[in-house]
Amino acid sequence: MAHVGSGSSWQEKAKEKNDSVLDLIPAEWRLQGPVPSADEQRDVTGSYIRQSLDSREIEITESDAVTIVERTSTGKWTAEEVTRAFAHRAALAHQLVHCLHEIFFKAAIDDAKKLDAYFSEHHTPVGPLHGLPISLKDQFHIKDVETHMGYVGWINTFQGQTGTGKERVFESEMVKELRKLGAVLYCKTSVPHSLMRGETINNIVGYTANPKNRHLACGGSSGGEGALIAAKGSPLGFGTDIGGSIRIPSAFCGLYGLKPSTGRLPYEGMANSMDGQNSAASAVGPLGHSVPSLRLAVKALLSQEPWNHDPGVNSMPWRQDLEQEVEDRKHSAQLAFAVIRNDGNVTPWPPIQRGIEDVIDKIKKAGHKVIEWDASSHKQAHALMSETWRYDGGLDIHSAFKLSGEPMSPELMYEEFENAPGPQFNATDISRTNIAIREFRKDYMERWNATKDSTGTGQPVDAIIAPLAPSPSSEPLKFRYYNYTTWVNLLDYPSCVVPVASADKSIDVPFSNFNPLSNTDAELIGDYKPEIFHGAPVAVQVVGRRLQEEKVLALAEYISSLVHG
């Protein structure tokens, strides 16, 4: 991979880094002429990006992960041709929406050739992900590849430090496991510097737009993953989530995404912000085009027994019985769901309300029970999550910016620390927050248990169905309400995003006689412009109980089938 020199300013270093990545795109994969404006070409997915691909590349890149593995594992497709097709489409996507931090296509093609040689000799795949290209958020360390996480000061370092011996050598635990499973790693995707926002922007690649509507955000902080997969430049990728960072991009980009409970999948050896904050920690999980794709990834990783190499992972293999329970009950008995229509603080916009109501209507028509869920406590949940992000007063993030002298992008979650780090929590403060979190979790657990008295099934609700945000997306630098996702992080519950509809300007008209629930509600509703948001994906999240990823995926797949047929 190209090394960036020691330019005298952060601007020079950032430009040199960005240019070095673009220079790695083969000449024949470069777009000819300027990229049209968002007004000229709002959606660059589908027919637009297909113009630069041949029919075989289109067939490969428009298949989901399950289909790809079926074909690479039987010799119908070679790992090399699949890798080349996705590398080509990823290169196009990057030129259109700025979604990549690192590309290592040549190394990936070499790896794919080795997989093909193995298959040719042994007539069997290397593993359950044989020949599957997988993209990774730029928190994963990969040999011979840089990790800068959007910070100019991290370029040519190991997480901002030099002389560690780990630079471009160290690999994250999940990277090692994906390789053993037969996956092909080929690119790393863009993030907002600090990771602490629901949009993706940094001083190296600039703003990552939503390829389905370039007037809108792709989400964050796994926004590069969302944008790349939405453009079908990747069939499956991994992001992380500490406040919605897998789920927001999945929702905004029309994808399926799983935020597991912490300790289900290996996070060991990944770069992070505020590393060591474990009161309500970040989780790593997959994004893709279908629930079966997510399930394939999770089952494959668990087959590697990651708890033997990551001390933070629970010793918990895939539990088929949890999945089978949903399969049995959806036909022979009732399932029960709680629904959050709004959180009592900010009103979901018309497209989101329509999406929620359509899901609930189809669940009821299928014979299942739905009860209302009071989400008024979620404001407290967000406040507690915010406390955990402020333990160090912003020192970690400010230290990273200080390395290069680059400015912070606007509208970070850390806006109160924009000019200087704030006061740090002491041990007593942190203990107090931890106690409050424990008590909140206990209260929520008992509220969930108590629903057995109102479901009519004799059992508590199987999942909660809720919005991901008040809006289908946001215009650049306008996303600022996280309460619809952060409660899930505080509780450490698994959640799966299911795309259910698209915003429609002819149906989703602005509210008449709108009565805001709060000052924030009054501010946000003014951002709704039906013409701008027309066609934006609409999604819900299916939230389950802690460490019940198998059940959540099964429920999400069932709900998807009810909605989409």
Side-chain angles (χ1 to χ4, degrees), residues 4 9 24 59 66 74 87 113 124 132 157 173 184 194 200 206 268 283 313 364 380 430 445 458 532 551:
V4 173
S9 70
L24 291 171
E59 179 188 10
V66 174
T74 54
K113 288 178 178 178
T124 189
L132 179 67
T157 74
E173 184 56 39
V184 179
S194 84
T200 297
E268 176 67 23
V313 174
K364 287 180 175 178
Q380 179 192 2
I430 294 172
M445 177 185 288
I532 291 292
K551 184 174 182 177

Side-chain angles (χ1 to χ4, degrees), residues 31 36 40-55 58 61-62 89 92 96 211-212 230-232:
L31 295 173
E40 294 170 315
Q41 185 65 47
R42 176 181 291 203
D43 185 349
V44 293
T45 66
S47 60
Y48 184 84
I49 200 169
R50 288 188 198 121
Q51 297 175 104
S52 302
L53 301 164
D54 63 35
S55 59
I58 293 169
T61 56
E62 299 194 1
R89 194 155 180 159
L92 296 171
L96 293 167
K212 291 181 175 290
K232 299 194 173 176

Side-chain angles (χ1 to χ4, degrees), residues 92-333:
L92 296 171
H94 180 53
Q95 294 170 82
L96 293 167
V97 295
H98 310 147
C99 56
L100 301 183
H101 276 182
E102 300 289 338
I103 62 175
F104 36 105
F105 298 155
K106 184 179 183 302
I109 291 167
D110 289 343
D111 289 342
K113 288 178 178 178
K114 292 174 185 175
L115 291 169
D116 289 334
Y118 181 93
F119 186 88
S120 179
E121 179 179 353
H122 300 282
H123 307 290
T124 189
V126 165
L129 303 181
H130 182 94
L132 179 67
I134 289 181
S135 52
L136 298 173
K137 183 178 185 177
D138 190 23
Q139 287 180 257
F140 290 85
H141 291 294
I142 300 173
K143 188 176 183 293
D144 295 326
V145 181
E146 187 156 73
T147 301
H148 62 71
M149 219 169 72
Y151 289 126
V152 176
W154 279 25
I155 296 170
N156 291 340
T157 74
F158 181 80
Q159 299 179 184
Q161 297 181 323
T162 57
T164 66
K166 295 182 177 181
E167 294 88 340
R168 300 176 185 251
V169 175
F170 181 80
E171 288 204 320
S172 305
E173 184 56 39
M174 189 185 286
V175 169
K176 299 174 187 176
E177 295 177 2
L178 289 171
R179 292 193 194 280
K180 291 176 186 175
L181 291 163
V184 179
L185 310 178
Y186 66 115
C187 63
K188 292 206 296 179
T189 53
S190 58
V191 301
H193 51 206
S194 84
L195 307 178
M196 300 303 292
R197 69 171 302 158
E199 299 178 59
T200 297
I201 181 172
N202 62 62
N203 293 317
I204 299 171
V205 298
Y207 192 85
T208 303
N210 191 324
K212 291 181 175 290
N213 182 341
R214 290 187 298 149
H215 288 297
L216 302 177
C218 64
S221 62
S222 308
E225 281 300 318
L228 178 66
I229 299 170
K232 299 194 173 176
S234 170
L236 183 76
F238 280 90
T240 62
D241 192 313
I242 197 173
S245 293
I246 290 171
R247 291 164 291 148
I248 293 169
S250 296
F252 286 8
C253 294
L255 305 173
Y256 296 82
L258 175 69
K259 183 211 83 71
S261 295
T262 57
R264 198 70 207 272
L265 296 178
Y267 209 118
E268 176 67 23
M270 291 172 59
N272 207 355
S273 289
M274 303 167 292
D275 195 13
Q277 183 283 107
N278 293 325
S279 297
S282 177
V284 58
L287 302 81
H289 296 292
S290 65
V291 172
S293 295
L294 308 185
R295 184 184 293 114
L296 170 70
V298 174
K299 288 183 74 172
L301 283 166
L302 293 180
S303 75
Q304 295 296 294
E305 300 183 346
W307 47 87
N308 288 327
H309 300 281
D310 181 344
V313 174
N314 295 291
S315 180
M316 188 178 291
W318 180 265
R319 295 163 297 174
Q320 187 65 35
D321 58 313
L322 291 181
E323 191 175 16
Q324 190 61 45
E325 175 198 346
V326 175
E327 189 65 28
D328 294 341
R329 289 178 56 214
K330 74 183 187 186
H331 297 300
S332 62

